[in-house]
Structure formats: C-alpha cells, structure tokens
Amino acid sequence: MSRIVFIVLAAAFVVIAATVGRYWMTSGGDGGHSQSAGVQIGGPFTLTDHTGKRVSEKDFAGKYMLMYFGYTYCPDVCPTSLSVMAEALDQLSPEELAKVVPVFVTVDPERDTPEVMASYVPHFHSSMIGLTGSMDEVKAAARAYKAFYAKVNADDPDGNYTMDHSSITYLMGPDGLYVTHFNHGTEADKMAARLKELL
Ligand code: NI
C-alpha cells in the first residue's frame, strides 16, 4: 500500500471513529463523557519521555495535548506535520501556549530511544515532549488513539526499514478526552485559529 493511500485510509477511519464516538458520547446523556460507549479516541498509556522519565496520561491531566504519532527517521511526513504543529503553536499567545503540550509519540521504539527522541523533538518546539516505550507499550498507546503503523522493508539487511503510519494530529482535552483532530495537510494558520477557539 502506498504511503498516501495508507494516510488517506487511516484518516478516513479516524473521522468515522470521531463521528461515531461523538454520536455515542452525545447520546450517552451524561454530558459527553460516556467513554465506555462506542468508539473512542484516546485513553490510558504508559510510556517513557525523552528525558527517560516514565509517564502516563495522568501526567498531562489539566493540559491540552496536541498529539502526533510518527517516527524520527521519517523522511518527510513527520517533519512536515511537526513543523506545522510548531508553527501553529508559535501563533498562540503565551497564555494559550501554557495550556497545551505538544506530544510526539514514536511508532518506531526499536530505533527511537529516549536519547534519539531527546535529540529530535527540540528541533521542532522547545515545549515538545517525545514519548517512546516498549513495543507493547507503543502498540497499546497507538491502538488507544486509533493511530496506525506498519513496518515496511522489515527484512532490509541494513536495517533501513521505514514505517507507514497515519498522519493525524489529535487535540485531547485537559480531562484526557478527545476534542478534535487535524488531518495531514492542515495548514498552520488553520490549526492555530482552531486552537485559539478551543483552548
Ligand atoms: Ni512519518
């Protein structure tokens, strides 16, 4: 499957999941917090940040998370998305910026150690947190967020594999619940304007 097809299919799935999730949440009758009903995006995770500290979703409680799943060896898609995220953040006021944490979760924990993440995330934004973990921890986090990934050329003798992955930026609320998402190709100005409405 080509990368573009993969991204489009993954994006379509997230739109459906978000729509169904919202339908279930609003029909749940408890103010939109019926996380047990229907499809949901987000949930508990346990990962290691780029300073080596073990973290969970609880460490981000009270803040919005602008969250993206990708990998540092990504030749184009991830750097583009993370640059857009950073450009959008730079358009926020200091007060708005203080409410949101940009989070980059790797889908390639074999190569993306905390050290590799530490040398990567500051290039995009000073407040960006890089998260990695064991294969199982990353798999669980990606599954919770409906983020998709697959290793390509896994049997490359030089280990030069790539990862197909969905390219979606999730905005999670201070309560840890899904707020909205931005599809690949969203412009920084548009993301910033939407964040200013929501934060
Ligand atoms: Ni990528």
Side-chain angles (χ1 to χ4, degrees), residues 140-180:
R143 186 176 293 153
Y145 283 82
K146 311 290 181 280
F148 298 95
Y149 62 96
K151 207 173 192 178
V152 181
N153 299 326
D155 50 3
D156 183 285
D158 299 319
N160 293 327
Y161 62 88
T162 59
M163 306 292 292
D164 268 351
H165 64 92
S166 49
S167 180
I168 290 156
T169 303
Y170 304 90
L171 181 67
M172 308 301 291
D175 52 7
L177 299 182
Y178 170 85
V179 177
T180 192

Short mmCIF file of all heavy atoms in Angstrom, two decimals, residues 140-180:
data_model
loop_
_atom_site.label_atom_id
_atom_site.label_comp_id
_atom_site.label_asym_id
_atom_site.label_seq_id
_atom_site.Cartn_x
_atom_site.Cartn_y
_atom_site.Cartn_z
N ALA A 140 -0.03 -0.36 22.43
CA ALA A 140 -1.23 -0.06 23.23
C ALA A 140 -1.62 1.41 23.10
O ALA A 140 -2.81 1.73 22.95
CB ALA A 140 -0.96 -0.42 24.69
N ALA A 141 -0.63 2.30 23.13
CA ALA A 141 -0.93 3.73 23.01
C ALA A 141 -1.51 4.03 21.62
O ALA A 141 -2.50 4.74 21.49
CB ALA A 141 0.33 4.56 23.25
N ALA A 142 -0.89 3.49 20.58
CA ALA A 142 -1.37 3.73 19.21
C ALA A 142 -2.78 3.18 19.03
O ALA A 142 -3.63 3.82 18.41
CB ALA A 142 -0.41 3.09 18.21
N ARG A 143 -3.03 2.03 19.62
CA ARG A 143 -4.36 1.44 19.50
C ARG A 143 -5.40 2.34 20.17
O ARG A 143 -6.48 2.56 19.64
CB ARG A 143 -4.36 0.05 20.13
CG ARG A 143 -5.66 -0.71 19.92
CD ARG A 143 -5.58 -2.11 20.48
NE ARG A 143 -4.65 -2.96 19.76
CZ ARG A 143 -4.01 -4.01 20.28
NH1 ARG A 143 -4.16 -4.31 21.55
NH2 ARG A 143 -3.19 -4.73 19.54
N ALA A 144 -5.05 2.88 21.32
CA ALA A 144 -5.98 3.75 22.05
C ALA A 144 -6.36 4.98 21.22
O ALA A 144 -7.49 5.45 21.27
CB ALA A 144 -5.38 4.17 23.38
N TYR A 145 -5.39 5.49 20.46
CA TYR A 145 -5.61 6.71 19.69
C TYR A 145 -6.00 6.43 18.24
O TYR A 145 -6.07 7.35 17.44
CB TYR A 145 -4.36 7.60 19.75
CG TYR A 145 -4.27 8.31 21.08
CD1 TYR A 145 -3.74 7.67 22.19
CD2 TYR A 145 -4.76 9.60 21.24
CE1 TYR A 145 -3.69 8.29 23.43
CE2 TYR A 145 -4.72 10.24 22.46
CZ TYR A 145 -4.19 9.57 23.55
OH TYR A 145 -4.16 10.19 24.77
N LYS A 146 -6.22 5.17 17.91
CA LYS A 146 -6.57 4.78 16.54
C LYS A 146 -5.49 5.27 15.55
O LYS A 146 -5.79 5.71 14.45
CB LYS A 146 -7.93 5.35 16.11
CG LYS A 146 -9.06 5.10 17.12
CD LYS A 146 -9.48 3.65 17.18
CE LYS A 146 -10.61 3.42 18.17
NZ LYS A 146 -10.17 3.33 19.59
N ALA A 147 -4.25 5.22 16.01
CA ALA A 147 -3.13 5.55 15.13
C ALA A 147 -2.62 4.23 14.54
O ALA A 147 -2.49 3.24 15.26
CB ALA A 147 -2.02 6.24 15.92
N PHE A 148 -2.37 4.23 13.24
CA PHE A 148 -1.96 3.02 12.55
C PHE A 148 -0.52 3.11 12.10
O PHE A 148 -0.07 4.17 11.70
CB PHE A 148 -2.86 2.78 11.33
CG PHE A 148 -4.29 2.57 11.70
CD1 PHE A 148 -5.18 3.63 11.68
CD2 PHE A 148 -4.73 1.33 12.12
CE1 PHE A 148 -6.50 3.45 12.05
CE2 PHE A 148 -6.05 1.15 12.50
CZ PHE A 148 -6.93 2.20 12.46
N TYR A 149 0.17 1.99 12.16
CA TYR A 149 1.54 1.96 11.63
C TYR A 149 1.89 0.54 11.21
O TYR A 149 1.31 -0.43 11.70
CB TYR A 149 2.54 2.50 12.65
CG TYR A 149 2.62 1.73 13.95
CD1 TYR A 149 3.61 0.76 14.13
CD2 TYR A 149 1.75 1.98 14.99
CE1 TYR A 149 3.71 0.07 15.33
CE2 TYR A 149 1.83 1.29 16.19
CZ TYR A 149 2.81 0.34 16.36
OH TYR A 149 2.89 -0.36 17.55
N ALA A 150 2.83 0.46 10.30
CA ALA A 150 3.29 -0.83 9.81
C ALA A 150 4.71 -0.68 9.31
O ALA A 150 5.05 0.31 8.66
CB ALA A 150 2.38 -1.32 8.68
N LYS A 151 5.53 -1.66 9.63
CA LYS A 151 6.92 -1.63 9.20
C LYS A 151 6.99 -1.99 7.71
O LYS A 151 6.31 -2.92 7.27
CB LYS A 151 7.68 -2.67 10.02
CG LYS A 151 9.14 -2.39 10.21
CD LYS A 151 9.69 -3.44 11.20
CE LYS A 151 11.06 -3.07 11.66
NZ LYS A 151 11.58 -4.03 12.65
N VAL A 152 7.80 -1.25 6.96
CA VAL A 152 8.00 -1.51 5.54
C VAL A 152 9.46 -1.89 5.33
O VAL A 152 10.35 -1.28 5.93
CB VAL A 152 7.65 -0.25 4.70
CG1 VAL A 152 7.84 -0.52 3.21
CG2 VAL A 152 6.22 0.19 4.99
N ASN A 153 9.70 -2.89 4.49
CA ASN A 153 11.06 -3.41 4.28
C ASN A 153 11.68 -3.89 5.58
O ASN A 153 12.83 -3.61 5.89
CB ASN A 153 11.97 -2.35 3.64
CG ASN A 153 11.48 -1.91 2.28
OD1 ASN A 153 10.91 -2.71 1.54
ND2 ASN A 153 11.67 -0.64 1.96
N ALA A 154 10.86 -4.62 6.33
CA ALA A 154 11.31 -5.09 7.65
C ALA A 154 12.54 -5.99 7.53
O ALA A 154 13.33 -6.08 8.47
CB ALA A 154 10.18 -5.84 8.34
N ASP A 155 12.70 -6.65 6.37
CA ASP A 155 13.83 -7.59 6.23
C ASP A 155 15.02 -6.97 5.49
O ASP A 155 15.90 -7.67 5.03
CB ASP A 155 13.37 -8.87 5.52
CG ASP A 155 12.61 -8.57 4.23
OD1 ASP A 155 12.50 -7.37 3.87
OD2 ASP A 155 12.12 -9.53 3.60
N ASP A 156 15.04 -5.63 5.42
CA ASP A 156 16.20 -4.96 4.80
C ASP A 156 17.47 -5.36 5.55
O ASP A 156 17.54 -5.23 6.78
CB ASP A 156 16.00 -3.44 4.88
CG ASP A 156 17.12 -2.69 4.18
OD1 ASP A 156 18.24 -2.63 4.75
OD2 ASP A 156 16.90 -2.18 3.08
N PRO A 157 18.48 -5.89 4.83
CA PRO A 157 19.67 -6.39 5.52
C PRO A 157 20.42 -5.30 6.30
O PRO A 157 21.10 -5.60 7.27
CB PRO A 157 20.54 -6.96 4.38
CG PRO A 157 19.97 -6.37 3.13
CD PRO A 157 18.53 -6.09 3.39
N ASP A 158 20.27 -4.06 5.87
CA ASP A 158 20.96 -2.98 6.57
C ASP A 158 20.10 -2.32 7.65
O ASP A 158 20.51 -1.35 8.28
CB ASP A 158 21.41 -1.90 5.57
CG ASP A 158 22.37 -2.46 4.54
OD1 ASP A 158 23.24 -3.27 4.94
OD2 ASP A 158 22.25 -2.12 3.35
N GLY A 159 18.91 -2.87 7.83
CA GLY A 159 18.03 -2.31 8.85
C GLY A 159 17.41 -0.98 8.46
O GLY A 159 16.91 -0.25 9.31
N ASN A 160 17.47 -0.67 7.17
CA ASN A 160 16.93 0.61 6.71
C ASN A 160 15.44 0.49 6.39
O ASN A 160 15.01 0.78 5.28
CB ASN A 160 17.68 1.11 5.48
CG ASN A 160 19.11 1.47 5.81
OD1 ASN A 160 19.39 1.95 6.91
ND2 ASN A 160 20.01 1.24 4.88
N TYR A 161 14.70 0.07 7.37
CA TYR A 161 13.25 -0.03 7.16
C TYR A 161 12.60 1.34 7.35
O TYR A 161 13.20 2.26 7.89
CB TYR A 161 12.65 -1.05 8.12
CG TYR A 161 12.80 -0.72 9.59
CD1 TYR A 161 11.85 0.06 10.26
CD2 TYR A 161 13.90 -1.18 10.32
CE1 TYR A 161 11.98 0.35 11.60
CE2 TYR A 161 14.04 -0.89 11.67
CZ TYR A 161 13.08 -0.12 12.30
OH TYR A 161 13.22 0.19 13.63
N THR A 162 11.39 1.45 6.85
CA THR A 162 10.59 2.66 7.10
C THR A 162 9.29 2.22 7.77
O THR A 162 9.03 1.02 7.91
CB THR A 162 10.28 3.42 5.80
OG1 THR A 162 9.58 2.55 4.92
CG2 THR A 162 11.55 3.92 5.13
N MET A 163 8.52 3.19 8.17
CA MET A 163 7.24 2.90 8.81
C MET A 163 6.14 3.63 8.02
O MET A 163 6.24 4.84 7.82
CB MET A 163 7.20 3.41 10.25
CG MET A 163 8.32 2.95 11.16
SD MET A 163 8.29 1.17 11.56
CE MET A 163 6.81 1.05 12.58
N ASP A 164 5.14 2.87 7.57
CA ASP A 164 3.92 3.53 7.12
C ASP A 164 3.16 3.91 8.38
O ASP A 164 3.11 3.13 9.33
CB ASP A 164 3.06 2.57 6.29
CG ASP A 164 3.35 2.66 4.81
OD1 ASP A 164 4.10 3.60 4.42
OD2 ASP A 164 2.85 1.82 4.05
N HIS A 165 2.60 5.09 8.39
CA HIS A 165 1.82 5.44 9.59
C HIS A 165 0.78 6.49 9.27
O HIS A 165 0.94 7.28 8.34
CB HIS A 165 2.76 5.94 10.70
CG HIS A 165 3.49 7.20 10.37
ND1 HIS A 165 3.01 8.45 10.70
CD2 HIS A 165 4.66 7.41 9.75
CE1 HIS A 165 3.86 9.36 10.28
NE2 HIS A 165 4.88 8.77 9.70
N SER A 166 -0.29 6.49 10.04
CA SER A 166 -1.30 7.52 9.89
C SER A 166 -0.68 8.85 10.30
O SER A 166 0.28 8.89 11.06
CB SER A 166 -2.53 7.20 10.74
OG SER A 166 -2.16 6.86 12.05
N SER A 167 -1.18 9.92 9.74
CA SER A 167 -0.60 11.25 9.99
C SER A 167 -1.71 12.18 10.45
O SER A 167 -2.27 12.93 9.66
CB SER A 167 0.08 11.76 8.72
OG SER A 167 0.65 13.04 8.95
N ILE A 168 -2.02 12.09 11.71
CA ILE A 168 -3.13 12.85 12.28
C ILE A 168 -2.67 13.49 13.58
O ILE A 168 -1.98 12.87 14.38
CB ILE A 168 -4.34 11.92 12.53
CG1 ILE A 168 -4.94 11.49 11.19
CG2 ILE A 168 -5.39 12.60 13.40
CD1 ILE A 168 -5.68 10.22 11.22
N THR A 169 -3.02 14.75 13.76
CA THR A 169 -2.70 15.45 14.99
C THR A 169 -3.96 15.51 15.84
O THR A 169 -4.97 16.06 15.41
CB THR A 169 -2.18 16.86 14.67
OG1 THR A 169 -1.05 16.74 13.79
CG2 THR A 169 -1.75 17.60 15.94
N TYR A 170 -3.89 14.92 17.02
CA TYR A 170 -5.06 14.85 17.91
C TYR A 170 -4.98 15.97 18.93
O TYR A 170 -3.91 16.24 19.48
CB TYR A 170 -5.08 13.52 18.67
CG TYR A 170 -5.05 12.29 17.80
CD1 TYR A 170 -3.85 11.72 17.42
CD2 TYR A 170 -6.23 11.71 17.35
CE1 TYR A 170 -3.81 10.59 16.62
CE2 TYR A 170 -6.21 10.58 16.55
CZ TYR A 170 -4.99 10.02 16.18
OH TYR A 170 -4.96 8.91 15.39
N LEU A 171 -6.11 16.59 19.19
CA LEU A 171 -6.19 17.52 20.32
C LEU A 171 -7.02 16.84 21.41
O LEU A 171 -8.20 16.53 21.21
CB LEU A 171 -6.83 18.86 19.93
CG LEU A 171 -6.91 19.87 21.09
CD1 LEU A 171 -5.51 20.34 21.51
CD2 LEU A 171 -7.78 21.06 20.72
N MET A 172 -6.38 16.61 22.53
CA MET A 172 -7.03 15.99 23.68
C MET A 172 -7.25 17.06 24.74
O MET A 172 -6.40 17.94 24.91
CB MET A 172 -6.17 14.86 24.24
CG MET A 172 -5.72 13.83 23.21
SD MET A 172 -7.08 12.98 22.34
CE MET A 172 -7.75 12.00 23.70
N GLY A 173 -8.35 16.98 25.45
CA GLY A 173 -8.69 17.99 26.43
C GLY A 173 -7.99 17.80 27.76
O GLY A 173 -7.36 16.78 28.00
N PRO A 174 -8.11 18.81 28.65
CA PRO A 174 -7.49 18.73 29.97
C PRO A 174 -8.01 17.54 30.79
O PRO A 174 -7.34 17.10 31.72
CB PRO A 174 -7.90 20.05 30.64
CG PRO A 174 -8.28 20.95 29.52
CD PRO A 174 -8.82 20.08 28.43
N ASP A 175 -9.20 17.02 30.40
CA ASP A 175 -9.76 15.85 31.07
C ASP A 175 -9.30 14.56 30.39
O ASP A 175 -9.75 13.47 30.76
CB ASP A 175 -11.29 15.92 31.07
CG ASP A 175 -11.86 16.17 29.67
OD1 ASP A 175 -11.08 16.15 28.69
OD2 ASP A 175 -13.08 16.41 29.56
N GLY A 176 -8.43 14.67 29.39
CA GLY A 176 -7.92 13.49 28.70
C GLY A 176 -8.81 13.00 27.59
O GLY A 176 -8.49 12.01 26.93
N LEU A 177 -9.93 13.67 27.40
CA LEU A 177 -10.87 13.22 26.37
C LEU A 177 -10.61 13.90 25.03
O LEU A 177 -10.15 15.04 24.97
CB LEU A 177 -12.32 13.49 26.81
CG LEU A 177 -12.77 12.79 28.09
CD1 LEU A 177 -14.23 13.12 28.38
CD2 LEU A 177 -12.57 11.29 28.00
N TYR A 178 -10.95 13.19 23.98
CA TYR A 178 -10.79 13.68 22.62
C TYR A 178 -11.56 14.98 22.40
O TYR A 178 -12.73 15.08 22.77
CB TYR A 178 -11.29 12.59 21.67
CG TYR A 178 -11.42 13.00 20.23
CD1 TYR A 178 -10.33 12.95 19.37
CD2 TYR A 178 -12.65 13.43 19.72
CE1 TYR A 178 -10.47 13.33 18.04
CE2 TYR A 178 -12.78 13.81 18.40
CZ TYR A 178 -11.68 13.75 17.57
OH TYR A 178 -11.82 14.12 16.26
N VAL A 179 -10.91 15.97 21.80
CA VAL A 179 -11.58 17.23 21.45
C VAL A 179 -11.78 17.31 19.93
O VAL A 179 -12.88 17.46 19.44
CB VAL A 179 -10.78 18.45 21.94
CG1 VAL A 179 -11.46 19.75 21.50
CG2 VAL A 179 -10.63 18.41 23.46
N THR A 180 -10.69 17.20 19.19
CA THR A 180 -10.76 17.23 17.73
C THR A 180 -9.46 16.68 17.17
O THR A 180 -8.55 16.31 17.92
CB THR A 180 -11.02 18.67 17.22
OG1 THR A 180 -11.37 18.62 15.83
CG2 THR A 180 -9.81 19.56 17.37
#
